[in-house]
Amino acid sequence: MNRYATTPKKTDKSGIRVYETTYYPQIPIENSDKFVMSKVGDRIDVLAYKFYGDVTLWWIIAKANGIKGKTALEPGIPLRIPGNITQIIENFINLNTSS
């Protein structure tokens, strides 16, 4: 899933096409979530592929764990891997679709 596919685009003052702000939904803890400890060499995108089969869903793991500005993880960090990604993606689309 391309996280910018549903993000509205606009043209700035100089005529260059730009994306509007991307909004991310809250991701509450659910029974379907998994909890893991990061290991040496773990990256958010690789974990997204491992658990979701899609590296572009890295933002779900990052948002659920308050991770900003990095993809590589230190070993020994407890991580929550949200399980109900269908609802999370639907909420994401709803937040970012132009009305």
Side-chain angles (χ1 to χ4, degrees), residues 33-51:
D33 294 355
K34 294 179 182 173
F35 294 86
V36 299
M37 293 293 274
S38 62
K39 298 179 213 148
V40 173
D42 273 350
R43 292 170 35 115
I44 298 172
D45 56 342
V46 174
L47 291 173
Y49 184 77
K50 178 180 176 181
F51 289 99

Side-chain angles (χ1 to χ4, degrees), residues 4 6-10 18-24 92 95-97:
Y4 295 113
T6 59
T7 303
K9 299 163 196 77
K10 63 181 179 180
V18 295
Y19 289 103
E20 291 187 13
T21 303
T22 301
Y23 297 99
Y24 296 95
F92 175 84
L95 282 172
N96 291 287
T97 302

